[in-house]
């Protein structure tokens, strides 16, 4: 690619174009530091029209394009490969909230809006945008949609897919599809937005979205409960669903090993109990009625859980500050793992909720038998059947040589166990570069062929985020 060719983009495009190595470097390595690529340039368009200009230019020059939001993805989907031929399209400057309609309970935001800013804008309109995850201070609405992010409130509000009513997309040939409808009902043919949600940028660039808002809850109750086993955690889930119904908004599981890891790296983030426990559940209710109603319902739940011997100890937050303190423990888990000698072997899996406890028991026993000293760090969104079932090197050993020597065998063991219960090898993080082969292995030939046909129809030159999600593109 000659500079002259890039100049032809510079001449037409009004956004910012970064080419100096120091400027492009932050866009080239993923959050987990597993993938570092090279790029022709990083384009930062300000408007949808400018995104279309960049995409048309890439199509004409046959230049691959990698959309990037906050670059917090866990599977290396937002960074270019090492070839240096691709253009990174950063959505950082597409950051306007275009409209809030409180009566319709909708908010329309551009793709580069940071999730926390959207939550805040909703709150200022006395509404709730319920998507919530540890990276919310830096991930973007476009990245959430492209990876169909889950997070900690899926139990009540669903994945990002369920929170989206309309999309604006620049297609691979540079056309703008304005599908920003704000309707709850619309049976007028194929639901095209669903194609782009979860497509990880392989079918087009999302430039804006109309999102669902909800009434803000009158009160929030949070508790950290100590339980003896994942089986006990499931009994607590059943009880909490029966007693709290739709007001149960989060139900997170963490092993004692996870809790100890967070406390080691973040000393002010520790469980408020006198003794350590094998497992912990962080649960939350969001009550539409009142503080008093919430306190009573939550108190009765915890009382029954104690009486039934399900819960060994519990700390119920008495204030929002205490609730935030409990959530800080949970949200520091991803970082605590990377501070613990480097990136470990991660598995973002889902299995039927009814199988999860037995899955943990058996798979953990198999891993320790095959890889003595390996430390299983299991945590995640138990209420959704979604585990972050991660495996770390034996104590005192750096992660890199362990991952190198045992990563493939450990993952094969985990994924075979997932497959036996018809689970998923990616519950919420997506496929990216990391799981392309594994996905093709576990999906049927029919399902892979259908996905390839869709890709071929929309992006016949294979320019949109090539090498991600699908093999051979
Ligand atoms: P990026 O990482 O920039 O991109 C992700 C993918 O989307 C890439 O394939 C990229 O090409 C594509 N993409 C980005 N923007 C667009 C666009 N506008 N149009 C088309 N394609 C686009 N995920 C969960 O699901 N649940 C969690 O609980 C969770 N917790 C996390 C906690 C931490 C601390 C971190 C670091 C990550 C976590 N993640 C979680 C992973 C990640 O999916 C989310 O952080 C987020 O959804 C990614 O958004 P992003 O803007 O950073 O996207
Ligand atoms: C989480 O639930 O904390 C995230 O999905 C990130 C992770 O798996 O580390
Ligand atoms: Zn998660």
């Amino acid at each position: 690619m000659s500079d002259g060719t890039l100049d032809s983009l510079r001449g037409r495009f009004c956004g910012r174009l970064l080419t100096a190595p120091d400027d492009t470097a932050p866009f080239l390595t993923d959050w987990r530091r597993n993938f570092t690529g090279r790029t022709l340039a990083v384009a930062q368009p300000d408007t949808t029209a400018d995104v279309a200009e960049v995409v048309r230019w890439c199509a004409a020059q046959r230049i691959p394009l990698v959309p990037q939001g906050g670059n917090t993805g866990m599977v290396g989907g937002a960074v270019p490969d090492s070839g240096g031929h691709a253009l990174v399209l950063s959505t950082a400057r597409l950051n306007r909230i275009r409209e809030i309609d409180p009566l319709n309970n909708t908010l329309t935001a551009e793709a580069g809006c940071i999730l926390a800013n959207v939550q805040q804008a909703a709150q200022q309109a006395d509404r709730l945008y319920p998507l919530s995850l540890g990276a919310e201070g830096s991930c973007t609405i476009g990245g959430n949609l492209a990876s169909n992010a889950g997070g900690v409130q899926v139990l009540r509000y669903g994945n990002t897919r369920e929170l989206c009513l309309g999309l604006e997309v620049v297609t691979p040939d540079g056309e703008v599809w304005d599908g920003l409808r704000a309707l709850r009902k619309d049976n007028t043919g194929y639901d095209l937005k669903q194609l782009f949600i979860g497509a990880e940028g392989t079918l087009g660039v999302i430039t804006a979205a109309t999102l669902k808002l909800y009434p803000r809850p009158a009160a929030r109750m949070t508790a950290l409960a100590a339980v003896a086993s994942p089986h006990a955690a499931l009994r607590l889930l059943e009880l909490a669903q029966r007693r709290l119904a739709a007001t149960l908004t989060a139900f997170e599981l963490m092993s004692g090993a996870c809790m100890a890891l967070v406390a080691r790296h973040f000393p002010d983030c520790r469980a408020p109990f006198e003794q350590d426990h094998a497992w912990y559940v962080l649960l939350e209710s969001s009550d539409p009625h009142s503080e008093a109603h919430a306190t009573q319902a939550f108190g009765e739940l915890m009382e029954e859980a104690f009486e039934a011997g399900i819960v060994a100890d519990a700390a119920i937050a008495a204030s929002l500050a205490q609730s935030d303190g409990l959530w800080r423990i949970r949200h520091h888990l991803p970082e605590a793992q990377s501070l613990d000698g480097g990136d470990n072997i991660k598995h973002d899996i889902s299995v039927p909720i009814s199988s999860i406890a037995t899955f943990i028991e058996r798979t953990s026993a198999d891993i320790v038998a095959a890889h003595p000293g390996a430390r299983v760090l299991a945590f995640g969104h138990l209420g959704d059947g979604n585990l972050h079932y991660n495996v770390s090197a034996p104590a005192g050993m750096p992660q890199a040589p362990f991952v190198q020597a045992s990563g493939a065998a450990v993952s094969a063991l985990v994924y075979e166990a997932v497959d036996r219960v018809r689970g998923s090898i990616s519950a919420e993080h997506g496929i990216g570069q990391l799981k392309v082969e594994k996905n093709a292995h576990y999906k049927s030939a029919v399902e892979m062929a259908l996905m390839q046909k869709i890709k071929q129809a929309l992006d016949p030159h294979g320019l949109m985020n090539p090498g991600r999600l699908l093999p051979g593109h």
Side-chain angles (χ1 to χ4, degrees):
M1 164 73 31
S2 71
D3 276 357
T5 314
L6 210 49
D7 280 347
S8 73
L9 174 62
R10 223 177 245 118
R12 283 153 49 176
F13 160 68
C14 304
R16 193 187 282 162
L17 195 67
L18 310 173
T19 48
D22 281 356
D23 294 339
T24 58
F27 300 86
L28 303 183
T29 299
D30 71 317
W31 190 85
R32 288 174 63 188
R33 306 198 168 279
N34 278 342
F35 298 97
T36 294
R38 294 192 307 130
T39 188
L40 202 59
V42 176
Q44 291 190 309
D46 296 302
T47 62
T48 300
D50 264 339
V51 173
E53 188 69 56
V54 173
V55 175
R56 276 196 296 273
W57 181 83
C58 285
Q61 310 283 337
R62 298 282 191 267
I63 286 173
L65 190 147
V66 180
Q68 186 177 109
N71 196 15
T72 67
M74 291 277 175
V75 287
V79 291
D81 64 19
S82 55
H85 308 299
L87 188 93
V88 173
L89 188 150
S90 157
T91 59
R93 286 154 67 97
L94 286 174
N95 58 6
R96 282 158 291 258
I97 291 181
R98 292 189 188 164
E99 191 190 0
I100 303 184
D101 182 346
L103 194 55
N104 196 40
N105 278 311
T106 48
L107 178 153
T108 299
E110 293 183 347
C113 285
I114 301 290
L115 172 57
N117 294 344
V118 169
Q119 293 168 339
Q120 208 179 355
Q123 187 173 336
Q124 279 161 4
D126 196 24
R127 293 294 182 272
L128 173 77
Y129 179 60
L131 183 66
S132 172
L133 44 99
E136 62 199 23
S138 34
C139 66
T140 63
I141 293 300
N144 301 153
L145 285 157
S147 59
N148 185 27
V152 296
Q153 302 217 67
V154 172
L155 186 59
R156 163 71 180 87
Y157 299 101
N159 295 294
T160 307
R161 191 183 291 287
E162 279 86 30
L163 299 173
C164 178
L165 292 175
L167 279 189
E168 181 186 83
V169 173
V170 174
T171 66
D173 49 12
E175 282 188 314
V176 178
W177 172 51
D178 178 355
L180 286 175
R181 301 188 185 101
L183 307 174
R184 263 91 185 165
K185 288 190 155 186
D186 179 18
N187 277 351
T188 52
Y190 303 135
D191 191 352
L192 293 180
K193 67 178 178 296
Q194 301 301 354
L195 274 183
F196 299 100
I197 301 174
E200 301 183 35
T202 61
L203 299 178
V205 182
I206 296 169
T207 48
T210 298
L211 306 168
K212 277 188 204 168
L213 302 180
Y214 288 83
R216 289 179 65 208
R220 202 174 83 183
M221 295 294 298
T222 315
L224 185 70
V227 293
S229 65
H231 288 284
L234 280 184
R235 287 178 63 202
L236 182 59
L237 175 63
E238 201 182 6
L239 186 63
Q241 284 178 322
R242 180 157 52 78
R243 281 206 161 263
L244 301 176
T247 67
L248 180 67
T249 37
F251 199 94
E252 297 284 312
L253 180 73
M254 285 176 279
S255 70
C258 290
M259 190 62 85
L261 184 71
V262 175
R264 190 154 66 246
H265 294 285
F266 300 96
D268 60 331
C269 290
R270 47 181 70 244
F273 301 129
E274 277 177 7
Q275 67 178 80
D276 294 337
H277 294 270
W279 292 90
Y280 300 87
V281 169
L282 181 59
L283 69 161
E284 186 161 277
S285 75
S286 304
D287 194 292
H289 303 294
S290 63
E291 194 83 43
H293 188 268
T295 310
Q296 187 182 346
F298 209 77
E300 284 172 4
L301 160 69
M302 295 314 284
E303 208 177 299
E304 191 177 340
F306 269 113
E307 277 169 9
I310 298 173
V311 161
D313 205 346
I316 302 181
S319 63
L320 276 184
Q322 284 185 7
S323 163
D324 290 346
L326 295 178
W327 275 110
R328 270 166 48 80
I329 302 174
R330 169 62 183 87
H331 284 319
H332 275 84
L333 248 170
E335 208 178 330
Q337 289 172 93
S338 49
L339 291 172
D340 200 48
D343 201 41
N344 56 11
I345 311 170
K346 291 209 194 313
H347 308 99
D348 162 40
I349 56 168
S350 66
V351 300
I353 294 171
S354 48
S355 327
I356 213 163
T358 308
F359 173 92
I360 295 175
E361 243 172 44
R362 291 192 185 154
T363 314
S364 303
D366 289 349
I367 285 175
V368 175
H371 304 273
R375 291 171 298 149
V376 173
L377 291 170
F379 67 99
H381 318 289
L382 187 72
D384 316 324
N386 175 191
L387 276 182
H388 299 306
Y389 190 81
N390 301 340
V391 181
S392 280
M397 179 178 177
Q399 302 293 349
F402 173 69
V403 175
Q404 180 85 21
S406 310
V410 167
S411 292
L413 195 155
V414 172
Y415 291 143
E416 285 301 310
V418 167
D419 194 46
R420 280 196 290 277
V421 290
R422 301 208 65 174
S424 169
I425 65 153
S426 179
E428 57 172 8
H429 294 163
I431 300 300
Q433 303 185 56
L434 190 64
K435 297 186 183 173
V436 172
E437 282 168 27
K438 281 275 177 287
N439 198 33
H441 176 75
Y442 285 107
K443 276 194 189 294
S444 73
V446 174
E447 197 166 355
M448 288 309 295
L450 285 170
M451 296 213 301
Q452 295 279 13
K453 279 182 194 165
I454 292 170
K455 171 76 174 173
Q456 180 64 26
L458 269 71
D459 182 22
H461 302 299
L463 296 176
M464 296 302 307
N465 219 0
R468 320 301 146 101
L469 197 57
L470 291 169
H473 277 281

mmCIF file of all heavy atoms in Angstrom, residues 151 330 381 386 388 428-429, ligand 3:
data_model
loop_
_atom_site.group_PDB
_atom_site.id
_atom_site.type_symbol
_atom_site.label_atom_id
_atom_site.label_comp_id
_atom_site.label_asym_id
_atom_site.label_seq_id
_atom_site.Cartn_x
_atom_site.Cartn_y
_atom_site.Cartn_z
ATOM 1 N N GLY A 151 -22.960 -9.833 30.973
ATOM 2 C CA GLY A 151 -22.798 -9.045 32.187
ATOM 3 C C GLY A 151 -23.624 -9.579 33.331
ATOM 4 O O GLY A 151 -24.070 -10.728 33.319
ATOM 5 N N ARG A 330 -16.322 -8.474 43.146
ATOM 6 C CA ARG A 330 -16.654 -9.236 41.938
ATOM 7 C C ARG A 330 -16.008 -8.632 40.688
ATOM 8 O O ARG A 330 -15.435 -9.349 39.850
ATOM 9 C CB ARG A 330 -18.195 -9.268 41.790
ATOM 10 C CG ARG A 330 -18.714 -9.789 40.462
ATOM 11 C CD ARG A 330 -18.312 -11.234 40.226
ATOM 12 N NE ARG A 330 -18.759 -11.710 38.921
ATOM 13 C CZ ARG A 330 -18.073 -11.568 37.789
ATOM 14 N NH1 ARG A 330 -16.899 -10.937 37.799
ATOM 15 N NH2 ARG A 330 -18.546 -12.054 36.666
ATOM 16 N N HIS A 381 -21.738 -16.000 36.044
ATOM 17 C CA HIS A 381 -23.126 -15.575 36.108
ATOM 18 C C HIS A 381 -24.000 -16.829 36.278
ATOM 19 O O HIS A 381 -24.596 -17.315 35.315
ATOM 20 C CB HIS A 381 -23.455 -14.794 34.845
ATOM 21 C CG HIS A 381 -22.344 -13.839 34.441
ATOM 22 N ND1 HIS A 381 -22.074 -12.693 35.153
ATOM 23 C CD2 HIS A 381 -21.425 -13.875 33.438
ATOM 24 C CE1 HIS A 381 -21.045 -12.047 34.580
ATOM 25 N NE2 HIS A 381 -20.637 -12.762 33.554
ATOM 26 N N ASN A 386 -23.809 -19.433 33.092
ATOM 27 C CA ASN A 386 -22.559 -18.979 32.437
ATOM 28 C C ASN A 386 -21.410 -18.930 33.452
ATOM 29 O O ASN A 386 -21.455 -18.183 34.412
ATOM 30 C CB ASN A 386 -22.810 -17.594 31.845
ATOM 31 C CG ASN A 386 -21.588 -16.933 31.230
ATOM 32 O OD1 ASN A 386 -21.646 -15.746 30.922
ATOM 33 N ND2 ASN A 386 -20.501 -17.631 31.016
ATOM 34 N N HIS A 388 -17.213 -18.534 34.125
ATOM 35 C CA HIS A 388 -15.850 -18.244 33.675
ATOM 36 C C HIS A 388 -14.991 -19.287 34.375
ATOM 37 O O HIS A 388 -14.624 -19.128 35.540
ATOM 38 C CB HIS A 388 -15.477 -16.802 34.006
ATOM 39 C CG HIS A 388 -16.400 -15.847 33.308
ATOM 40 N ND1 HIS A 388 -16.605 -15.899 31.945
ATOM 41 C CD2 HIS A 388 -17.216 -14.872 33.767
ATOM 42 C CE1 HIS A 388 -17.481 -14.971 31.603
ATOM 43 N NE2 HIS A 388 -17.884 -14.347 32.693
ATOM 44 N N GLU A 428 -20.628 -15.484 26.360
ATOM 45 C CA GLU A 428 -20.871 -14.047 26.221
ATOM 46 C C GLU A 428 -19.693 -13.280 25.627
ATOM 47 O O GLU A 428 -19.850 -12.136 25.230
ATOM 48 C CB GLU A 428 -21.254 -13.429 27.588
ATOM 49 C CG GLU A 428 -20.208 -13.649 28.664
ATOM 50 C CD GLU A 428 -20.463 -12.891 29.956
ATOM 51 O OE1 GLU A 428 -21.532 -12.296 30.116
ATOM 52 O OE2 GLU A 428 -19.549 -12.906 30.810
ATOM 53 N N HIS A 429 -18.504 -13.870 25.548
ATOM 54 C CA HIS A 429 -17.349 -13.109 25.059
ATOM 55 C C HIS A 429 -17.190 -13.171 23.550
ATOM 56 O O HIS A 429 -16.461 -12.360 22.978
ATOM 57 C CB HIS A 429 -16.049 -13.609 25.714
ATOM 58 C CG HIS A 429 -15.986 -13.343 27.187
ATOM 59 N ND1 HIS A 429 -15.120 -13.970 28.024
ATOM 60 C CD2 HIS A 429 -16.715 -12.498 27.964
ATOM 61 C CE1 HIS A 429 -15.297 -13.537 29.262
ATOM 62 N NE2 HIS A 429 -16.274 -12.646 29.256
HETATM 63 ZN ZN1 LIG B 3 -18.769 -12.499 32.528
#
